[in-house]
Structure formats: C-alpha cells, structure tokens
Amino acid sequence: MEHPADLVTALARELKARGWMMATAESCTGGLIAGACTEVSGSSDWFERGFVTYSNAAKHELLGVPTALIEAHGAVSEPVARAMAAGALAHAPVQLAVAVTGVAGPTGGSADKPVGTVWFGWATPNGVFSEHQRFDGDRAAVRQATVRHALAGLLQRLPAT
C-alpha cells in the first residue's frame, strides 16, 4: 500500500511537468485529499483549490450538482461523483479534478450502500471517469483508503506527456 505522501510527490511531478493545476471535491473525506496535497512544500505550483461539499446543498451550490440528481440517486452514487468531479473542473481554473462521496461510518450505511462504500470521480481533459470501491475498517481507515485511492486514480488518469 503506497503512502499518500509518495503518491502526492509523484502527482506533483507529473502535474508540474504538464503545467497543470488540480482541484478536489470532497464529501466523506472532508478535505483530507486537499490536506495530503498541500502537506508538500511547493504545492501551490500545482494545487489550486479544494471544495469540501459535505452537505447536499454544498454539492449543489459550490459544484453545480443538480438537486434532482442527488434526489434520484442519493449523494453516494456514481452520477453524483461524476457530477462533483465535472463541477470541480468547471468551477476552478484546473485541468484535473477528483471527487469522492461515500459512507465512512460507523453510521449511515444501508443494505445498498454499506459503510465503506465510496464513489470516485476523476475529471480530465479526456472526460470524466468513475469507480466504486468498498473499503474495510473503521471511519479513519475508510477515509485514509479513500485518500490513497483518489490520489492513485489521479496518477492513473493523467494523459501521457
């Protein structure tokens, strides 16, 4: 399992090589991805902003996620993760964005969306990509696994230079 700092170092190198900036749109992680990125000195060269959109209203107001989409699918869903990522790209002067929405626990889970369910969205110039993961462990473990997976996903979805 890669350490977030190693992923951030690699991400920083790749973004700087392209002259790109990135943004985060976070729900279940509450800013941990942005925090991991800005722990690195010089991150202002490639990290532009983070949106912490914990509530449904924040998803709508800050990222433009349609309220009807949230009502139809729930905040923890593929369509909402994709809309969050696209919204971050649209509402920031960036070329790359990641979005996460999930159930970190220990409460809030359901049969359809058990604790540990996380939807990811990555927005790039080549489109929006999404993925679902189910992480084990307590709230802290789910959130840390989400940070690592979000950062690794950013690296995987960077187009070749």
Side-chain angles (χ1 to χ4, degrees):
M1 179 180 327
E2 283 196 80
H3 191 275
D6 296 334
L7 293 166
V8 170
T9 299
L11 182 61
R13 181 179 57 247
E14 293 298 323
L15 289 170
K16 287 195 300 191
R18 291 166 175 78
W20 281 18
M21 299 294 283
M22 67 161 283
T24 62
E26 302 180 63
S27 186
C28 61
T29 49
L32 292 174
I33 301 166
C37 289
T38 58
E39 254 181 55
V40 175
S41 178
S43 56
S44 60
D45 291 342
W46 53 272
F47 185 85
E48 211 285 327
R49 71 182 68 170
F51 298 92
V52 177
T53 56
Y54 209 68
S55 70
N56 291 343
K59 289 173 182 64
H60 174 70
E61 292 166 15
L62 298 176
L63 299 171
V65 177
T67 304
L69 194 70
I70 297 170
E71 290 171 357
H73 301 280
V76 180
S77 64
E78 181 177 20
V80 170
R82 293 176 67 86
M84 288 172 65
L89 200 66
H91 290 86
V94 300
Q95 296 77 30
L96 187 66
V98 62
V100 295
T101 182
V103 184
T107 60
S110 66
D112 288 349
K113 298 172 186 175
V115 169
T117 299
V118 181
W119 276 99
F120 296 82
W122 294 276
T124 76
N126 295 331
V128 178
F129 305 88
S130 55
E131 188 176 292
H132 166 263
Q133 289 290 316
R134 169 87 164 66
F135 300 115
D136 292 323
D138 63 9
R139 183 177 183 81
V142 168
R143 287 165 43 114
Q144 285 304 313
T146 300
V147 169
R148 283 190 302 273
H149 194 76
L151 293 168
L154 284 165
L155 281 166
Q156 291 169 2
R157 284 158 184 86
L158 282 169
T161 53

